[in-house]
């Protein structure tokens, strides 16, 4: 079929990992795509999180338009959260637009596609599917067909790093990509398809769990452990490369192929609990009732989610957590928030700002929006935001004396569209991305900055963009691409018009055209050779 498009999403892939793999000769298929095609660092949206970023990738729009800003969406007027899903996406995805043109798509495991919609083609949802559900494939009957051929579908992952259990993590990740590659190839042979979009989750998980194993500069690096297991980690990357090669071959020589990621990756050294910092600044206050005083005393003594996590790691005999969806994770966090100091103990009448979510998301306790808002809209709101930004920029890293915070934005500088009201009021990134603002729990630790525990790798703002095919110039290196550019570029190479309200721009427009990038999430004007 002419104008076929294949998108292979390697979650969290970064050129910081890919280029050394290519140089060592471990990924020949990816090396060929890069050398014969075009490449660019791919800037993601804020926050650099999977659900929001992949939704921007497949819609070509910023989160203020499509409405997926995090893994969870708060119910209006409350602090209650619901897991995001495909029904909350307020924009059409590229496969919907291609379907209107009669182009059949295969969509497998792309984040935020549960529950799967009826499309012109086949859709298999992603790891955000709640555990135990069987309604993650459309059309009906396809899941049974797949499982008769390949066995139970590998939807979730469970392995987490423990000393002596690295092989178990890698084994599961290899099993996942081998299984899903076989399924993808089966569907590619079964369907008369014009576009295929697939997502690999394991490339994210292996970097979260095992970054310290291959990074000798990481504070948790163990040289003996690395000598015994580095090759196993490299084996996984070789298996990823093999999967890419098999899918590219199955797609055929006339296909426009994209290997892309939703964000980058790098080492993670420190956690920052910004609700602790807000308490220290007098912007967040706790209740004075007896129950809160007891929890506050326990908190001061170190009885925190950090303590519970470390204790569970010491006493647990297993190396894996239960396979489950994001809905179950939210339920577990709700139970922990009842046990530990949480927003249930906050005195909202004396609170002006709070933190919720990872990677630097701060919310004003706004009257009329928050259930117990104290800050009036208008001039008072702006005054609080301006003060907050000044205080953020004044924070020094106690280890170096340098500024802790890098870029700081008001939400309207990053987002536009009907869902901006759901965005954080102030957004920021650490100056050193080895630090992360952590917000899985309301009060993770009783100290502002602590050594990272659990995962050893964290997200970065630039992933990878690799394009290959007959319409792509060989050897081109673009200075910049944005994740919202993916959908319009793929639409263009599929021979279809680009939707007017997309924020991204076509990156592949012919041999002599230069590409102008000007999106809501990247306020700079960039230009460079076309792909």
């Amino acid at each position: 079929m002419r104008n076929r498009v294949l998108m292979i999403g390697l979650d969290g892939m970064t050129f910081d990992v890919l280029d050394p793999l290519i140089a060592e000769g471990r990924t020949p298929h990816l090396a060929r795509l890069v050398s014969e095609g075009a490449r660019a660092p791919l800037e993601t949206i804020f926050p650099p999180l999977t659900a929001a970023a992949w939704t921007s990738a497949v819609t070509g729009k910023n989160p203020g338009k499509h409405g997926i800003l995090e893994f969870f969406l708060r119910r209006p007027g409350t602090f209650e959260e619901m897991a995001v899903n495909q029904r909350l996406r307020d924009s059409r995805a590229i496969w919907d637009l291609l379907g209107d043109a009669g182009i059949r798509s295969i969509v497998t495991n792309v984040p935020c596609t549960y529950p799967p919609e009826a499309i012109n083609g086949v859709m298999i949802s992603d790891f955000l599917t709640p555990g135990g559900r069987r309604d993650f494939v459309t059309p009906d009957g396809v899941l049974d067909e797949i499982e008769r051929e390949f066995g139970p579908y590998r939807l979730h992952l469970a392995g987490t790093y423990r000393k002596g259990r690295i092989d178990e993590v890698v084994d599961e990740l290899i099993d996942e990509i081998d299984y899903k590659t076989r399924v993808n190839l089966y569907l590619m042979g079964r369907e008369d398809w014009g576009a295929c979009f697939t997502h690999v989750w394991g490339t994210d998980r292996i970097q979260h769990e095992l970054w310290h194993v291959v990074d000798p500069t990481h504070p948790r690096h163990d040289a003996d452990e690395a000598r015994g297991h580095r090759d196993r980690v490299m084996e996984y990357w070789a298996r990823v490369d093999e999967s890419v090669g098999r899918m590219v071959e199955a797609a055929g020589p006339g296909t426009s192929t994209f290997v892309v990621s939703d964000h980058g990756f790098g080492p993670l050294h420190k956690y920052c609990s910004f609700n602790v910092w807000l308490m220290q600044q007098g912007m967040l206050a706790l209740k004075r009732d007896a129950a809160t005083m007891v929890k506050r005393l326990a908190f001061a003594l170190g009885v925190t989610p950090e303590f519970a996590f470390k204790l569970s790691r010491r006493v647990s005999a297993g190396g894996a957590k239960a396979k489950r969806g994001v809905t179950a994770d939210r339920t577990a966090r709700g139970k922990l928030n009842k046990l530990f100091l949480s927003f249930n103990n906050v005195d909202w009448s004396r609170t002006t700002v709070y933190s919720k979510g990872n990677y630097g998301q701060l919310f004003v306790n706004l009257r009329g929006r928050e259930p117990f808002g104290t800050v009036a809209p208008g001039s008072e709101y702006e005054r609080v935001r301006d003060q907050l930004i000044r205080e953020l920029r004044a924070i020094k890293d106690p280890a170096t004396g340098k500024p802790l915070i890098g870029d700081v934005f008001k939400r309207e500088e990053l987002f536009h569209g009907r869902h901006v009201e759901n965005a954080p009021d102030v957004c920021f990134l650490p100056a050193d991305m080895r630090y992360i603002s952590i917000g899985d729990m309301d009060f993770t630790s009783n100290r502002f900055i602590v050594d990272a525990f659990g995962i050893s790798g964290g997200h970065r703002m630039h992933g990878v963009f690799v394009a290959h095919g007959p319409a792509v110039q060989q050897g081109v290196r673009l200075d910049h691409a944005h994740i919202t550019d993916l959908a319009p570029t793929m639409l263009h190479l599929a021979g279809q018009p680009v939707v007017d309200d997309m924020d991204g721009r076509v990156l592949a427009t012919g041999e002599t055209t230069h590409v102008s990038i000007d999106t809501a999430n990247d306020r700079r004007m960039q230009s460079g050779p076309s792909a």
Side-chain angles (χ1 to χ4, degrees):
M1 176 182 292
R2 293 187 62 193
N3 295 331
R4 263 186 173 173
V5 171
L6 169 65
M7 185 201 85
I8 302 174
L10 303 182
D11 201 292
M13 194 63 179
T14 169
F15 284 117
D16 290 341
V17 170
L18 180 57
D19 284 341
L21 289 170
I22 290 174
E24 293 177 20
R26 296 181 183 274
T27 53
H29 299 290
L30 285 164
R32 183 179 70 84
L33 295 178
V34 171
S35 66
E36 296 179 0
R39 63 177 281 172
L42 187 69
E43 184 178 352
T44 191
I45 51 87
F46 180 93
L49 292 172
T50 295
W54 282 114
T55 304
S56 287
V58 301
T59 62
K61 300 178 183 180
N62 84 95
K65 286 184 179 178
H66 62 62
I68 305 298
L69 293 110
E70 246 277 8
F71 282 108
F72 302 102
L73 179 66
R74 198 172 68 187
R75 299 181 189 278
T78 74
F79 287 115
E80 296 177 5
E81 294 177 321
M82 52 185 165
V84 295
N85 59 56
Q86 179 271 139
R87 290 174 181 155
L88 297 173
R89 189 187 71 225
D90 190 18
S91 295
R92 304 188 77 203
I94 184 172
W95 46 79
D96 299 315
L97 302 172
L98 294 174
D100 290 346
I103 298 173
R104 195 164 177 83
S105 293
I106 300 168
V107 182
T108 61
N109 311 127
V110 177
C112 220
T113 53
Y114 180 85
E117 56 187 331
I119 65 170
N120 181 8
V122 175
M123 176 175 283
I124 303 176
S125 293
D126 62 301
F127 68 92
L128 297 176
T129 300
R133 301 301 293 261
R134 296 281 299 170
D135 57 344
F136 58 89
V137 181
T138 58
D140 291 342
V142 174
L143 177 59
D144 291 337
E145 179 184 335
I146 289 170
E147 293 191 331
R148 283 195 300 270
E149 189 76 21
F150 302 105
Y153 198 87
R154 316 292 205 268
L155 193 62
H156 296 111
L157 292 169
T160 57
Y161 167 78
R162 309 285 180 89
K163 273 197 175 295
R165 296 183 178 272
I166 292 177
D167 286 344
E168 294 178 16
V169 175
V170 178
D171 287 346
E172 182 186 41
L173 295 177
I174 288 177
D175 176 73
E176 181 217 22
I177 194 165
D178 286 352
Y179 177 92
K180 290 178 177 176
T181 300
R182 292 195 299 271
V183 171
N184 285 337
L185 294 173
Y186 174 78
L187 293 176
M188 292 169 76
R190 176 187 187 271
E191 297 291 319
D192 182 18
W193 61 277
C196 179
F197 309 91
T198 190
H199 171 263
V200 179
W201 187 24
T203 49
D204 175 271
R205 296 311 311 158
I206 198 166
Q207 295 182 92
H208 273 311
E209 300 295 334
L210 303 181
W211 186 279
H212 64 288
V213 176
V214 297
D215 178 2
T217 69
H218 198 283
R220 286 153 59 188
H221 181 77
D222 182 316
D224 291 335
E225 183 180 58
R227 277 191 293 271
H229 294 92
R230 185 179 187 275
D231 285 346
R232 291 262 28 231
V233 177
M234 295 300 109
E235 180 184 350
Y236 174 74
W237 289 115
R239 201 67 65 96
V240 170
D241 182 71
E242 179 185 338
S243 173
V244 170
R246 293 176 68 186
M247 292 189 65
V248 170
E249 181 180 13
T255 302
S256 297
T257 297
F258 296 85
V259 177
V260 297
S261 60
D262 54 335
H263 52 74
F265 243 95
L268 178 59
H269 293 186
K270 300 287 185 180
Y271 286 154
C272 304
S273 297
F274 267 83
N275 282 322
V276 172
W277 177 79
L278 290 167
M279 281 198 295
Q280 294 170 351
Q281 303 304 307
M283 299 182 195
L284 186 151
L286 297 178
K287 296 176 181 176
R288 298 187 177 100
D289 62 287
T292 298
M293 295 301 289
V294 170
K295 283 190 176 182
R296 187 168 188 171
L297 176 61
F299 182 76
L301 294 173
V303 182
T304 64
E306 176 190 5
F307 168 78
F309 176 86
K310 292 178 177 178
L311 180 63
S312 70
R313 284 298 179 100
R314 286 197 294 266
V315 303
S316 175
K321 58 186 177 183
K323 297 183 182 182
R324 60 194 182 203
V326 70
T327 303
D329 289 339
R330 177 173 58 89
T331 301
R333 284 200 295 273
K335 293 178 179 178
L336 288 173
N337 275 331
K338 291 180 180 178
L339 178 63
F340 298 106
L341 193 70
S342 72
F343 284 163
N344 296 327
N345 305 108
V346 169
D347 183 347
W348 295 105
S349 69
R350 297 187 294 126
T351 293
T352 56
V353 182
Y354 64 96
S355 175
K356 189 70 174 174
N358 296 320
Y359 294 96
Q361 304 179 62
L362 298 174
F363 295 83
V364 174
N365 189 23
L366 187 64
R367 191 179 303 159
R369 183 185 67 184
E370 265 62 28
F372 310 104
T374 58
V375 178
S379 60
E380 185 179 6
Y381 171 73
E382 295 301 340
R383 180 182 58 76
V384 169
R385 288 205 299 175
D386 290 341
Q387 177 191 355
L388 178 59
I389 290 171
R390 287 194 299 271
E391 296 291 346
L392 286 170
R393 288 177 171 155
I395 302 175
K396 302 297 183 183
D397 181 347
T400 67
K402 296 179 180 179
L404 184 73
I405 305 301
D407 292 331
V408 185
F409 303 96
K410 294 182 178 180
R411 64 183 183 183
E412 60 271 21
E413 296 177 286
L414 294 179
F415 310 108
H416 68 283
R418 60 188 291 183
H419 298 284
V420 170
E421 286 299 315
N422 295 326
D425 298 292
V426 172
C427 310
F428 66 90
L429 291 169
D432 183 342
M433 288 292 287
R434 291 175 297 180
Y435 290 60
I436 177 179
S437 169
I438 186 170
D440 287 334
M441 302 294 296
D442 298 341
F443 297 91
T444 303
S445 171
N446 63 355
R447 292 170 293 158
F448 173 33
I449 302 175
V450 299
D451 291 338
F453 50 90
I455 61 175
S456 61
H459 298 179
R460 299 294 191 268
M461 289 297 293
H462 288 85
V464 303
F465 170 86
V466 177
H468 179 275
V472 178
Q473 294 184 58
Q474 182 172 337
V476 169
R477 286 181 173 234
L478 289 92
D479 294 331
H480 178 272
H482 195 274
I483 197 165
T484 55
D485 299 328
L486 294 180
T489 301
M490 289 188 289
L491 276 173
H492 177 76
L493 290 185
Q496 299 303 309
V498 176
V499 178
D500 289 341
D501 69 339
M502 285 184 172
D503 296 315
R505 299 292 182 265
V506 174
L507 293 174
T509 54
E511 292 188 358
T512 60
T513 305
H514 282 57
V515 182
S516 178
I517 300 171
D518 183 14
T519 73
N521 288 339
D522 175 33
R523 293 166 295 141
R524 298 164 294 170
M525 181 65 73
Q526 300 281 347
S527 64
S530 74

